[in-house]
Amino acid sequence: MTRVFSGIQPTGDLHLGNHLGALVNWVGFQDRADCVYCVVDLHAITSPAEHDPATLRERTLETATLLLAVGVDPARSILFVQSHLHEHAECTWLFNCVSGFGELRKMPQFKEKSEGKGETVSVGLFDYPVLQAADILLYHADEVPVGEDQRHHIELARDIGQRFNHRFGEVFTLPRAIHPPAAARVMDLQEPTSKMSKSTSTDKGIVNLLDDPARIERKIKSAVTDSATDIRFDRDAKPGISNLLEVLSAATGRSIEELIAEHDGHGYGAFKAAVAEAVIELLRPIQTRYRELASDVGEVERTLADGAARARAIAAPTLARAKDAVGLLPPA
Ligand code: ATP
Ligand code: LTN
């Protein structure tokens, strides 16, 4: 069976864009693939912005709980926290020794995130994609569903795996990035020409998965739209209305044409109310499930411990083969 691996950073609240753009697919893959999903807390500490230790711990648990709440099913898939396995950090070291300074320096995400930081930028940020390669290659992943911005990182993982195999013998499976179509590319409610994003959107521009219904309603009703009254899909001329149409379509499973036929001519107010209600109903079962799970932290922690054990059953033998291939003397 195809193995899918993906990771998500516990750096903020998950929002509607993450859900419709990525998590819905994570849930769907479980029907056709052997899935391994990881909360990548080691990646989260590479960020140039200083992190708060207590917040990181909270967010790691919250992110894992939300993944369970949206439908990652621990009976079918492996869900674990990256730092629970020392194998990821250890494999990173082996990969560091077959990675080039030049190729890492050219990674677009590193260039972007280190810009203006001069000599103070951390080695961890520089090494971020090598750790990501270890995440993927330790599990012999075939497919890695990610956003377009991660394409270079997956190519690097492929290059590292290929180089290692070439030098030391076949150990790693070469992965490929997949970019499954998103249920929706969700735009910022206040600035509908930029994507909804946890690092750049304001609170009013973003619907967090745990926002309560009144808050969701308020945010959607005050979404920026144009001053006309017609409801039609045109990303350039009507970015705000088009975004709401796409969200409504993803939330209800109905086509955009059908939604236009139903709502055009009845005004923006009624249309926004319908979008708000659909998003509230989409998130309601997730929020209910989240509260149930969060009321028993011990159970979530047990699920993660079980996930880590099952992850280790795959990662540890892979790492052992890699160490042996490199020529590291096994302990007697
Ligand atoms: P950041 O602002 O830190 O980049 P983000 O909110 O954009 O964070 P990521 O952590 O980069 O989210 O992305 C996690 C996943 O969610 C990726 O697969 C990404 O493609 C998807 N995603 C993020 N934002 C959106 C969006 N607005 N619409 C659709 N998919 C999205
Ligand atoms: N860099 C990714 C998160 C990530 C990841 C992974 C994704 C870390 N390790 C392995 C896929 C596979 C991001 O920022 N979205």
Side-chain angles (χ1 to χ4, degrees):
M1 189 142 77
T2 303
R3 173 155 302 144
V4 163
F5 185 101
S6 201
I8 190 155
Q9 289 199 48
T11 43
D13 295 335
L14 295 178
H15 55 74
L16 189 63
N18 298 136
H19 182 57
L20 296 176
L23 303 183
V24 163
N25 285 318
W26 284 27
V27 172
F29 291 134
Q30 299 179 116
D31 295 331
R32 66 154 180 90
D34 173 12
C35 299
V36 184
Y37 295 131
C38 183
V39 180
V40 293
D41 54 348
L42 295 175
H43 278 112
I45 62 174
T46 63
S47 160
E50 279 186 23
H51 77 273
D52 171 54
T55 308
L56 175 64
R57 253 187 300 272
E58 254 166 46
R59 291 224 152 123
T60 301
L61 189 63
E62 182 186 295
T63 303
T65 308
L66 259 172
L67 291 174
L68 294 167
V70 302
V72 169
D73 175 6
R76 292 188 287 164
S77 305
I78 296 177
L79 174 67
F80 73 106
V81 174
Q82 189 184 34
S83 66
H84 290 181
L85 268 75
H86 60 77
E87 283 80 0
H88 290 236
E90 202 173 337
C91 187
T92 300
W93 184 257
L94 301 185
F95 288 169
N96 278 338
C97 299
V98 297
S99 301
F101 182 81
E103 64 189 339
L104 294 187
R105 194 178 44 188
K106 281 193 240 119
M107 287 287 127
Q109 192 170 314
F110 174 71
K111 286 209 282 196
E112 193 187 304
K113 292 205 171 173
S114 61
E115 201 167 31
K117 300 271 170 349
E119 298 285 291
T120 62
V121 61
S122 79
V123 176
L125 187 69
F126 185 66
D127 211 24
Y128 180 114
V130 181
L131 175 60
Q132 184 166 349
D135 295 343
I136 297 165
L137 294 171
L138 278 172
Y139 297 90
H140 304 292
D142 303 294
E143 295 180 2
V144 185
V146 280
E148 277 293 336
D149 63 327
Q150 295 296 307
R151 207 182 65 233
H152 294 95
H153 287 172
I154 313 306
E155 269 163 26
L156 180 79
R158 228 186 131 79
D159 289 347
I160 290 175
Q162 198 160 31
R163 203 174 301 147
F164 187 103
N165 288 350
H166 189 250
R167 273 180 63 181
F168 301 114
E170 292 295 318
V171 175
F172 295 106
T173 304
L174 304 185
R176 58 195 177 84
I178 55 167
H179 308 295
R185 181 172 155 79
V186 184
M187 309 307 273
D188 186 304
L189 296 174
Q190 292 298 315
E191 253 179 79
T193 49
S194 332
K195 71 164 200 162
M196 185 178 283
S197 145
K198 63 177 170 292
S199 57
T200 56
S201 294
T202 59
D203 183 56
K204 283 183 76 183
I206 201 166
V207 174
N208 288 312
L209 297 188
L210 296 178
D211 279 347
D212 62 45
R215 202 179 175 86
I216 296 174
E217 187 174 7
R218 215 175 321 121
K219 288 178 178 179
I220 291 179
K221 285 194 168 165
S222 56
V224 167
T225 46
D226 52 76
S227 54
T229 55
D230 56 325
I231 294 177
R232 61 190 170 85
F233 193 84
D234 182 339
R235 280 264 185 219
D236 296 322
K238 299 175 75 70
I241 289 296
S242 302
N243 184 38
L244 294 179
L245 275 168
E246 195 165 332
V247 167
L248 184 57
S249 167
T252 57
R254 298 175 62 198
S255 74
I256 296 210
E257 294 70 38
E258 207 183 320
L259 295 171
I260 291 173
E262 181 176 327
H263 292 281
D264 190 27
H266 302 293
Y268 286 177
F271 173 58
K272 283 177 168 179
V275 177
E277 189 186 326
V279 171
I280 290 167
E281 290 315 316
L282 174 74
L283 298 186
R284 193 187 299 283
I286 296 173
Q287 297 186 348
T288 303
R289 183 82 186 109
Y290 180 86
R291 282 193 293 271
E292 282 166 19
L293 289 160
S295 71
D296 188 355
V297 172
E299 180 60 24
V300 174
E301 287 172 342
R302 279 190 291 282
T303 301
L304 293 175
D306 179 61
R310 288 156 62 206
R312 191 170 299 113
I314 305 169
T318 313
L319 178 65
R321 279 175 60 203
K323 287 169 75 172
D324 182 60
V326 168
L328 299 174
L329 178 68

